[in-house]
Amino acid sequence: MAKTALIQRELKREKLVAQYAKKYEELKAIINDAKKSDDERMQARLALQKLPRNANPTRQRNRCELTGRARGTFRQFGITRHKIREMAFSGDIPGITKASW
């Protein structure tokens, strides 16, 4: 089980990303628009830098829904490889069986 502080940090980041998502997209659109003047694009870059760091979506980390572990998380299931293995052996995930050849 991951530390609860790390899990809470990720939840805080999710809230910040959701809060600043619209502003972030608007600024990115201005920065990437070649029709805008260089001055407008520079102002948009400066405004983007003033946003909180944790408002950037790339700072989010995929975590296991059950344990909170950050590494080895399968996107399809949202859980780590350890839990997938346990659940597959116990038959909790339909359609997944132990490989044998």
Side-chain angles (χ1 to χ4, degrees):
M1 189 73 178
K3 290 184 180 180
T4 55
L6 297 177
I7 295 170
Q8 292 303 316
R9 185 187 304 162
E10 286 299 322
L11 295 175
K12 183 179 173 183
R13 283 182 180 155
E14 285 179 20
K15 289 177 187 174
L16 270 175
V17 167
Q19 180 181 349
Y20 286 98
K22 186 176 179 185
K23 180 86 171 163
Y24 190 82
E25 290 300 322
E26 290 171 359
L27 291 172
K28 290 295 275 186
I30 292 171
I31 291 169
N32 293 328
D33 189 5
K35 295 177 183 175
K36 300 278 185 184
S37 69
D38 289 339
D39 189 45
E40 285 177 315
R41 293 168 69 189
M42 187 63 178
Q43 292 299 322
R45 281 190 203 104
L46 292 174
L48 188 66
Q49 288 176 357
K50 291 189 181 201
L51 293 179
R53 281 188 176 187
N54 286 334
N56 191 340
T58 58
R59 289 180 66 97
Q60 287 181 308
R61 183 80 189 208
N62 292 335
R63 288 195 172 267
C64 178
E65 294 291 324
L66 304 175
T67 62
R69 190 175 201 277
R71 296 181 179 229
T73 304
F74 283 65
R75 289 182 187 167
Q76 183 178 1
F77 302 108
I79 54 178
T80 57
R81 57 191 174 86
H82 306 300
K83 289 296 176 182
I84 287 177
R85 187 170 192 269
E86 288 175 13
M87 293 172 78
F89 285 158
S90 64
D92 294 337
I93 303 175
I96 293 186
T97 56
K98 184 177 184 300
S100 60
W101 59 89

